[in-house]
Amino acid sequence: MNNNETHGFFGGLTKYGDEEFSKFLRKVFLSSLGYDDLDLSRPVIGIADTSSGYVTCHREMPQLIDAIKRGVLEAGGLPVVFPTASLPEIMMNPTSMYLRNLLAMETEELIRSQPMDGVVLVGGCDKTVPAQLMAGISAGIPFMQVVAGPMIPGKWEGKKVGACTDCRAAWAEFRGGRISEDQIKEVSGVLAPSGGTCTVMGTASTMACISEALGFAIAGSSTAAAPTGERLIAGVRTGRAIVDAVKIGLTPDRILSKSSFVNAATVLGALGGSTNAIIHLLAIARRAKIEFTLDDIAQASNSVPVIVNCKPSGTGYMDDFHNEGGVPQLIHQIKEILDLNALTMTNLNWDETLKSIPLRSPSGEGLTKVSSPVSPKGGLRVLRGNLAPQGAVIKVSAASAELLNHKGKAVVFENIDDMMARIDDPNLDVEADSVLVLKNAGPYAAGMPEAGALPIPAKIAKNGVRDMVRISDARMSGTAYGTVVLHISPESAVGGPLAIVQNGDVIVLDVENSKLEILLSSEQIAKRLEGHEVTSFLPNSHWGNVFKATVMQASEGADMDTSFLGSEL
């Protein structure tokens, strides 16, 4: 055989010690799939499939993948679907974040080891999209992102409702005795009426919009609902676009720059998006080898007001935002402070992209003008102080304004199990102005679960209290709300100052001045830290041990640090 091509099915040959034999074997087995020489001359487009019986959000994914395949074929490519692991947020123990880096590693290696010229990564539920973006950037071949899309909202007692902000609101009302057991059962049946991700600006919707802002998703594609024809059209258009990207060799390193990430962080602020996006953006930038820090995110996200009217920062749902035109219309509104020269995987920059999308006047239902925002400042704030030397975050747009400058005595829970055991104890020494403190819930200790939005203690909730200051090294769901300080770095388990907080210590939260402090001297903190032992509650398993050996702190994106193995990726 004289086939010297190194693309398509003849790229990345299996090592048998005879290159021509490797090609011959591939042709033998590919013929069993009905592929002829014309098929084998086409660019091969891998399609990473994260559908799973455990991932309810991805219920509509088979039809979406069929649409992507159609687009690839129309553009002259050959689509090949391959499965990867999937990360269902509500089904995973201890948390899907514990497995984000594993999915990124698995997906990267499948892209590298299987013959493909480009790849479409199909995700949706919270950690799948950031893991896929990390993987695609690390693998380095042309790739594009398609998301499952948000679910459609339901109706309850005459009002529009949807997962998962309304899930949390209903559960809080039930815990506080304000709705009955029959009502909580009834509402549970209408909060998630279709396939798709949460229908608010949670982590899934935020990361979908971020993938679009970074240039990896077709403009306008991130907000179309899962069960709609628009979602399928997004798949078809992506299939066509990835073939075009392969033909011109448009790889992620050619479109990504510091400006791409500043744009994404600015969009994050305007979305009033999930705090989880901060961790993911840091990790994605690290994979791109672009210097991008927590302070960069703080500066960019605070440069804009929140103009997307979606829960939990606003009152609407993702269908409201989509009906306003989605991300392209948001970018139209804030384009003066963005770098519109940032390139996308369609080989158009954002300035060129917007020229084909006419500016619309927002109604306020899903998107507002900058002059009449949902919130006057970006939704996220980075805090520092003697409790968070490397930083912490708070979602200001979902917090109670009266608690953003607060001083209170700590009520400390040593870990998640301790919190669950005591939070509703009628003898818990807690007042409405207390500060709830959760330790040992960071990346190394617990995989960084979404436990940061601690429940309001039952004895307080029954008095009508719906919010308190809560601080931890955990995360919280992007659909959650409240005055919740998260991602405290370094985490308590590895000796961060959070480890020394005791019941009755006075905690000061001063969001205006970006401060989180405990009223102790540096000498007192150092004294209490003496003899601290590093703690982890993660499984003693193969991945558990790899994770603990490699995971970085939240302020670094909780990515994998493999430099101790002798080489830095």
Side-chain angles (χ1 to χ4, degrees):
M1 297 178 68
N2 295 315
N3 191 336
N4 292 317
E5 294 181 277
T6 57
H7 66 78
F9 276 121
F10 297 105
L13 291 170
T14 309
K15 302 297 183 183
Y16 289 117
D18 182 338
E19 188 172 280
E20 293 303 314
F21 178 65
S22 296
K23 293 178 183 178
F24 170 71
L25 272 187
R26 285 209 175 163
K27 288 199 73 172
V28 167
F29 284 93
L30 288 168
S31 69
S32 72
L33 294 174
Y35 292 150
D36 62 15
D37 286 344
L38 178 60
D39 291 320
L40 300 182
S41 69
R42 296 176 177 179
V44 172
I45 305 299
I47 302 174
D49 179 2
T50 55
S51 59
S52 162
Y54 285 106
V55 190
T56 59
C57 304
H58 296 183
R59 192 183 85 190
E60 315 281 349
M61 197 167 281
Q63 295 93 325
L64 178 58
I65 286 175
D66 284 343
I68 297 167
K69 290 165 65 177
R70 176 157 55 92
V72 171
L73 288 167
E74 288 174 358
L78 187 64
V80 181
V81 180
F82 64 97
T84 73
S86 197
L87 304 179
E89 179 63 41
I90 60 164
M91 297 287 186
M92 306 214 80
N93 178 278
T95 171
S96 64
M97 184 64 184
Y98 167 60
L99 297 170
R100 183 202 65 180
N101 294 346
L102 179 61
L103 176 58
M105 185 167 64
E106 180 211 30
T107 304
E108 176 190 350
E109 293 306 321
L110 288 174
I111 294 170
R112 289 181 182 275
S113 62
Q114 298 177 131
M116 61 188 78
D117 301 298
V119 62
V120 178
L121 303 173
V122 191
C125 192
D126 292 9
K127 309 308 172 293
T128 56
V129 171
Q132 289 178 329
L133 290 171
M134 292 162 68
I137 291 168
S138 293
I141 70 170
F143 83 90
M144 294 189 73
Q145 182 80 54
V146 178
V147 296
M151 66 179 69
I152 58 174
K155 277 281 184 83
W156 187 61
E157 295 188 343
K159 295 180 181 178
K160 197 174 182 179
V161 293
C164 210
T165 300
D166 293 334
C167 306
R168 298 175 188 282
W171 190 251
E173 294 299 283
F174 177 65
R175 278 177 51 81
R178 291 179 288 275
I179 65 174
S180 69
E181 195 160 335
D182 285 343
Q183 286 175 303
I184 197 70
K185 183 177 180 180
E186 182 182 312
V187 75
S188 71
V190 297
L191 284 163
S194 75
T197 54
C198 290
T199 187
V200 295
M201 194 55 72
T203 303
S205 293
T206 300
M207 290 310 302
C209 294
I210 291 297
S211 69
E212 190 175 328
L214 284 171
F216 289 110
I218 292 287
S221 69
S222 61
T223 53
T228 63
E230 286 181 286
R231 173 55 48 202
L232 299 181
I233 290 170
V236 174
R237 292 178 63 202
T238 304
R240 296 173 187 148
I242 188 61
V243 176
D244 292 340
V246 166
K247 288 176 179 176
I248 62 172
L250 190 58
T251 50
D253 60 304
R254 288 182 55 192
I255 76 161
L256 289 176
S257 64
K258 178 73 173 282
S259 291
S260 305
F261 286 94
V262 172
N263 284 351
T266 307
V267 167
L268 173 61
L271 290 169
S274 169
T275 50
N276 289 312
I278 294 174
I279 292 179
H280 300 320
L281 266 178
L282 291 169
I284 293 163
R286 184 174 180 273
R287 295 301 179 101
K289 296 181 171 59
I290 290 173
E291 187 70 28
F292 188 66
T293 67
L294 197 56
D295 290 329
D296 291 324
I297 294 177
Q299 183 176 350
S301 65
N302 288 327
S303 67
V304 286
V306 177
I307 60 171
V308 173
N309 187 18
C310 279
K311 292 184 176 185
S313 296
T315 58
Y317 296 84
M318 286 301 293
D319 62 330
D320 298 312
F321 181 37
H322 180 69
N323 290 338
E324 299 271 15
V327 171
Q329 292 301 322
L330 180 154
I331 289 178
H332 263 305
Q333 292 296 320
I334 61 172
K335 64 182 181 181
E336 288 78 10
I337 59 172
L338 298 177
D339 182 353
L340 299 183
N341 290 315
L343 196 60
T344 74
M345 285 300 295
T346 61
N347 204 30
L348 298 174
N349 64 28
W350 268 107
D351 184 52
E352 294 165 326
T353 299
L354 291 180
K355 286 176 181 175
S356 65
I357 304 173
L359 172 66
R360 292 159 53 177
S361 180
S363 71
E365 193 168 332
L367 182 70
T368 72
K369 294 181 178 179
V370 171
S371 58
S372 53
V374 174
S375 177
K377 290 187 177 180
L380 305 172
R381 192 70 55 86
V382 173
L383 309 172
R384 295 188 188 274
N386 63 1
L387 268 182
Q390 295 174 9
V393 301
I394 184 171
K395 189 170 185 175
V396 179
S397 57
S400 300
E402 67 274 13
L403 292 175
L404 294 178
N405 189 341
H406 183 80
K407 181 189 292 185
K409 291 184 178 180
V411 176
V412 179
F413 302 98
E414 292 298 325
N415 53 57
I416 294 170
D417 288 343
D418 179 38
M419 183 270 292
M420 291 192 297
R422 295 194 296 120
I423 193 74
D424 289 336
D425 186 340
N427 296 316
L428 184 68
D429 186 10
V430 62
E431 304 292 338
D433 62 355
S434 298
V435 175
L436 304 182
V437 178
L438 174 63
K439 301 180 186 179
N440 293 307
Y444 182 86
M448 211 175 181
E450 293 183 341
L454 284 71
I456 303 300
K459 64 188 286 186
I460 302 296
K462 288 174 181 176
N463 291 330
V465 175
R466 288 177 167 83
D467 195 12
M468 297 173 68
V469 174
R470 291 157 275 180
I471 72 171
S472 74
D473 44 17
R475 298 177 300 115
M476 78 173 181
S477 167
T479 67
Y481 51 90
T483 311
V484 183
V485 177
L486 304 153
H487 310 181
I488 291 177
S489 296
E491 64 179 294
S492 55
V494 300
L498 184 65
I500 60 90
V501 181
Q502 298 174 0
N503 287 322
D505 286 340
V506 177
I507 307 292
V508 178
L509 172 64
D510 181 358
V511 172
E512 184 65 29
N513 292 301
S514 302
K515 289 289 186 183
L516 179 67
E517 301 271 355
I518 184 170
L519 295 187
L520 293 174
S521 68
S522 56
E523 291 78 15
Q524 288 173 304
I525 292 173
K527 181 68 175 174
R528 288 192 189 181
L529 278 173
E530 289 178 3
H532 174 81
E533 294 184 2
V534 175
T535 306
S536 180
F537 299 93
L538 290 173
N540 181 25
S541 64
H542 289 90
W543 173 246
N545 293 335
V546 170
F547 182 86
K548 285 177 281 190
T550 60
V551 71
M552 303 168 78
Q553 288 297 292
S555 58
E556 302 166 300
D559 196 5
M560 299 176 71
D561 179 5
T562 58
S563 59
F564 71 96
L565 296 173
S567 62
E568 181 61 44
L569 297 177

